[in-house]
Amino acid sequence: MMNIILLFFFLASSTQVAISITPDHIFLLAGQSNMVGYGGIGINGRWDGIIPPDCQSSPYIFRLDRALCWSQAKEPLHADIYLREKLAGVGPSMPFARRILELRPGYRTIGLVPCAYGGTTMDQWLKNYSHGEPSTINLYNNLIRRAMASQRTGGRLAGLIWWQGGADAKDSTIAQQYGKKLERFFSDVRQDLRRPNLPIILIVIPKGRPLKDEKLINKIRRAQLQMNNTITNMVVFDPPKKLTYQPDHVHVSTPSQVLVGRELAELFCNAGSYYC
């Protein structure tokens, strides 16, 4: 049940007022840049500031900020979570949350916990990883810390959304090992959160991108598409080929981030009552 301790509102200047709240259903967001959301980021490295209707703030959607406090969620959702991660634009999480509330009004409120970091490999997300970039933080420990903090006053951990893999498609041996590492990561997260049946929502690397490393991308894709053969309570989402990209042909455009988020929510809710 929603436990609002202090109501909130926006002043005329659009300055956000700090709030204390426990969202009913909480989703962890982890992975690399497309999970962060680079929609609308130009070649100059700046976000264009365009927020589609499906990504607008809602009084029923909240974000756990860097200080581990809840505030009303707004794009860019991953802004300021990491000091060294400067880029953030539109991602799939806001349209996902808004669509969930459309499909399941009984969810009442949703909390989003941004933890993704651009350019990171599977190794960098493994438990006990201790070297290399990002050198200022252990991504796994940060994910667990933020997940635990998000539930400190209640709320239900409803799932982990994972979108990653491109950084591992640069070496044949690394790509070959990807599946085992991802399986271990999911198992460790569930164990450390004491949630052996935590729903996992896996977004597969999109197919059809004009990249030179297509064979390696396909190795990662195969491992991801087969992951629910070994991991229970998992939803595997293979994005449609009609996605459009930023000029770098790697990062998904704003309209396609909206498409991914909405279709992901529909798949999640259609997976059964356990999930949604």
Side-chain angles (χ1 to χ4, degrees), residues 48-60:
D48 60 17
I50 298 174
I51 304 176
D54 288 297
C55 301
Q56 296 289 333
S57 295
S58 162
Y60 307 106

Side-chain angles (χ1 to χ4, degrees), residues 147-270:
M148 298 296 287
S150 73
Q151 304 170 85
R152 62 179 178 264
T153 56
R156 173 177 177 266
L157 197 56
L160 163 66
I161 305 177
W162 175 260
W163 194 355
Q164 187 275 342
D168 290 80
K170 297 177 180 179
D171 177 272
S172 181
T173 301
I174 292 175
Q176 193 67 37
Q177 298 170 345
Y178 182 83
K180 292 293 185 182
K181 292 177 181 178
L182 184 59
E183 183 179 343
R184 183 174 54 174
F185 168 75
F186 289 146
S187 297
D188 284 342
V189 168
R190 283 174 165 172
Q191 181 177 357
D192 288 340
L193 292 179
R194 299 178 182 177
R195 287 290 307 278
N197 294 313
L198 174 71
I200 295 172
I201 309 162
L202 170 61
I203 305 176
V204 178
I205 299 179
K207 190 175 183 179
R209 298 188 302 177
L211 298 175
K212 297 179 180 178
D213 52 358
E214 182 178 357
K215 290 183 179 180
L216 297 182
I217 287 287
N218 286 335
K219 278 190 177 183
I220 301 294
R221 279 178 51 81
R222 282 193 295 272
Q224 293 174 334
L225 289 168
Q226 296 169 5
M227 192 56 53
N228 57 2
N229 292 335
T230 54
I231 299 290
T232 59
N233 299 323
M234 170 177 281
V235 173
V236 177
F237 175 68
D238 192 4
K241 294 181 180 179
K242 59 184 177 182
L243 297 185
T244 58
Y245 293 86
Q246 302 290 95
D248 60 10
H249 303 301
V250 172
H251 297 110
V252 176
S253 68
T254 294
S256 288
Q257 286 282 17
V258 172
L259 178 66
V260 168
R262 288 181 63 84
E263 290 197 2
L264 185 65
E266 292 167 8
L267 178 65
F268 181 69
C269 286
N270 288 333

Side-chain angles (χ1 to χ4, degrees), residues 61-91:
I61 303 174
F62 303 90
R63 178 188 90 135
L64 193 74
D65 64 20
R66 188 168 176 269
L68 306 180
C69 297
W70 290 111
S71 59
Q72 191 173 34
K74 63 179 182 179
E75 297 285 13
L77 199 68
H78 273 78
D80 75 21
I81 296 299
Y82 298 103
L83 292 177
R84 297 188 63 172
E85 171 68 301
K86 302 299 182 183
L87 291 180
V90 172

Side-chain angles (χ1 to χ4, degrees), residues 30-33 117-127 129 131-134 139-140 162-171 174-175 178 181-182 185 220:
Q32 54 183 108
S33 53
Y117 196 112
T120 48
T121 64
M122 191 66 251
D123 278 342
Q124 290 172 298
W125 282 95
L126 293 179
K127 187 176 182 178
Y129 179 81
H131 62 281
E133 293 291 339
L139 294 172
Y140 182 89
W162 175 260
W163 194 355
Q164 187 275 342
D168 290 80
K170 297 177 180 179
D171 177 272
I174 292 175
Y178 182 83
K181 292 177 181 178
L182 184 59
F185 168 75
I220 301 294

